[in-house]
Amino acid sequence: MEGSQLAADDWWRSAVIYQVYVRSFADGDGDGTGDLTGVRSRLPYLAELGVDALWFTPWYLSPMADGGYDVADYRAIDPAFGNLAEAEKLIAEAREAGIRTIIDIVPNHVSDQHVWFKAALAAGPGSPERELFHFRPGRGAHGELPPNDWESEFGGVPWTRVEDGEWYLHLFATEQPDLNWAHPAVRQEHEDVLRFWFERGVAGVRIDSAALVAKDPALPDLEGHQGPHPYVDRDELHDIYRRWRAIADEFGGIFVGEVWLPDAERFARYLRPDELHTAFNFTFLSCPWDSALLRRAIDDTLAEHAPVGAPATWVLCNHDITRTVTRYGREDTGFAFTAKAFGVPSDLELGTRRARAAALLSLALPGSVYLYQGEELGLPEADVPLDRIQDPMYFRSQERAPGRDGCRTPLPWATGEPFAGFGSTVEPWLPLPADWPSRAADLQERDPGSMLALYREALRQRRSLTALHTEPLRWLSEEPGLLLFARGDHLVCAVNFAEHPAQLPAHTEVLLTSCPLDADGRLPRDTAVWLAL
Ligand code: GLC
């Protein structure tokens, strides 16, 4: 039963994709920032972990005003990370190790250091250069008020006034001017960038803020607005992504969209057969650790994907989200950006136990799974000292919310080395928490009870358990506090959320448990098991 029964070009339908936040993965040249040399040196670790693909958060030339999501040049690698030749080598070496590469494209905006934006500033009001962005005169007697009442995704006003008096739109930070997607040059440039990277061997593209890209050209106020939202989920987006799909099809490439939409039917429209292959499942990611809510999230996910024939994705964490063991150890185990706060207590032991169960749960569901770096080490959210925080979300919240740096701290590789083996010879860009050495990968490699050992074993088994790649999910129980489902006739996954231990169905073998079964072979609370029938 080696490998899945899926055709090779359907790999993405049930792949495990590891997210590399390059800056914090491994520092190959010692300068305090993770880089491509660091990733290349850790390819054996990633192959051993057993992932099918790597998704790299933006590695392009960037002033790093938003951790690289402010791109100054799509065809250049940031010198802190390496260069284009090295990226090509990395893509090829990963492929040799059986690992595909997914890059991150940020169509909504560029950096204010991008040549287009610099030219637009220099060219002045009314110029063709300004038409690539959303420049507008201000309101008020002297144009001193922003052109509309929108709010930045990072908080505050999404408009900045330039010296000649015009304002430009940025849904995120000031340094991230939004592009005008009604302009043919903007479309053409992104289509060229896609080709540029597909020609270099990438297998897929993650699309940042995919549902925010198109704007109502009138940029109307939100208050009292009737009809389609002026910048969320606009119908024009589907034409853009259909053209992208045609390009991806030339190369056999795939897309995964960052699409946060509460409306399941609208979400699924992005996954029609001639649009994006997949999109992140934020319903599952945001869901509290609660059997009824998780079951509903799973059912809703499968139901919304079925009509368009797209596979679901299962995500527990990423570079924007509170680390799983911390989130699941809190009283409120759901996730919402608006709820991010300082000093929320967390029982990390409980959180770890649940994160282990959640790993087996998500890896047993039909579809692909995204694994954010450090989750396989069970890293908690770090408390980054205030004077070291870099995330614009912190500053734009008037320093009220901690922002996202707590899930972006450098990885600990080796327990006895400086900076826990991250590779730096100088202080890294974000500090490593004091207890990081005790969580280092080299220690966990030697500990069969570690989170790393669990992930490795689960991924190893998942590869050869054909049913996990081909069979639909079938619920076997309605019992409150228990998630119990089969994939095909011979494989069952159970997760117990209830206080009392759960009786397992008849089985021939216990394949894997997130924590040991009790003395009577029952499933304890916050524990998951894979069974062979
Ligand atoms: C996405 C990214 C996030 C970034 C934002 C703006 O949400 O995941 O990290 O800040 O887009 O590009």
Side-chain angles (χ1 to χ4, degrees), residues 161-438:
R161 197 174 193 192
V162 302
E163 263 175 25
D164 53 52
E166 278 205 327
W167 297 71
Y168 69 87
L169 175 71
H170 50 86
L171 284 184
F172 293 89
T174 309
E175 298 86 349
Q176 294 168 296
D178 280 40
L179 288 166
N180 172 15
W181 274 83
H183 199 297
V186 171
R187 295 185 182 222
Q188 186 61 52
E189 167 65 1
H190 281 79
E191 290 172 14
D192 291 350
V193 165
L194 289 177
R195 285 183 197 285
F196 178 89
W197 285 104
F198 281 135
E199 279 161 5
R200 278 163 182 76
V202 310
V205 173
R206 180 248 187 202
I207 308 172
D208 187 73
S209 305
L212 303 181
V213 171
K215 312 283 175 343
D216 179 338
L219 306 182
D221 276 339
L222 274 172
E223 200 182 317
H225 181 74
Q226 306 275 321
H229 194 285
Y231 63 86
V232 180
D233 184 31
R234 293 184 60 81
D235 286 342
E236 305 91 281
L237 287 170
H238 298 285
D239 302 329
I240 297 171
Y241 296 138
R242 277 196 196 98
R243 294 195 49 148
W244 286 27
R245 175 63 180 254
I247 295 170
D249 284 348
E250 286 173 35
F251 296 90
I254 64 109
F255 292 115
V256 53
E258 187 198 19
V259 182
W260 292 83
L261 288 181
D263 181 327
E265 190 274 327
R266 296 289 305 183
F267 173 86
R269 288 161 57 99
Y270 291 84
L271 302 177
R272 289 176 290 194
D274 59 346
E275 298 192 39
L276 308 184
H277 302 72
T278 55
F280 292 117
N281 185 347
F282 292 114
T283 311
F284 185 71
L285 176 148
S286 314
C287 187
W289 184 249
D290 173 291
S291 56
L293 295 177
L294 279 166
R295 171 145 178 185
R296 198 194 309 150
I298 294 166
D299 281 338
D300 288 353
T301 298
L302 297 175
E304 77 200 27
H305 284 75
V308 284
T313 65
W314 308 99
V315 196
L316 292 170
C317 193
N318 68 32
H319 64 292
D320 296 329
I321 310 298
T322 308
R323 286 269 187 200
T324 312
V325 304
T326 301
R327 180 161 69 87
Y328 283 157
R330 288 177 173 170
E331 198 178 312
D332 177 359
T333 50
F335 176 81
F337 275 109
T338 45
K340 274 211 160 193
F342 285 106
V344 184
S346 173
D347 175 344
L348 289 186
E349 207 178 305
L350 178 64
T352 301
R353 190 179 174 91
R354 290 173 170 171
R356 293 174 66 90
L360 293 197
L361 169 63
S362 42
L363 288 165
L365 294 169
S368 60
V369 174
Y370 281 81
L371 172 59
Y372 176 48
Q373 70 180 38
E375 290 287 290
E376 82 281 18
L377 301 177
L379 298 183
E381 186 85 355
D383 273 328
V384 179
L386 296 186
D387 61 347
R388 297 287 300 275
I389 294 186
Q390 306 207 11
D391 184 10
M393 271 190 119
Y394 167 66
F395 298 102
R396 293 189 69 96
S397 76
Q398 318 302 326
E399 308 186 3
R400 268 182 245 131
R404 302 163 295 178
D405 287 343
C407 66
R408 297 174 174 182
T409 42
L411 292 194
W413 289 100
T415 193
E417 291 179 21
F419 307 114
F422 177 56
S424 304
T425 52
V426 298
E427 176 65 24
W429 76 281
L430 279 181
L432 285 84
D435 63 347
W436 246 219
S438 68

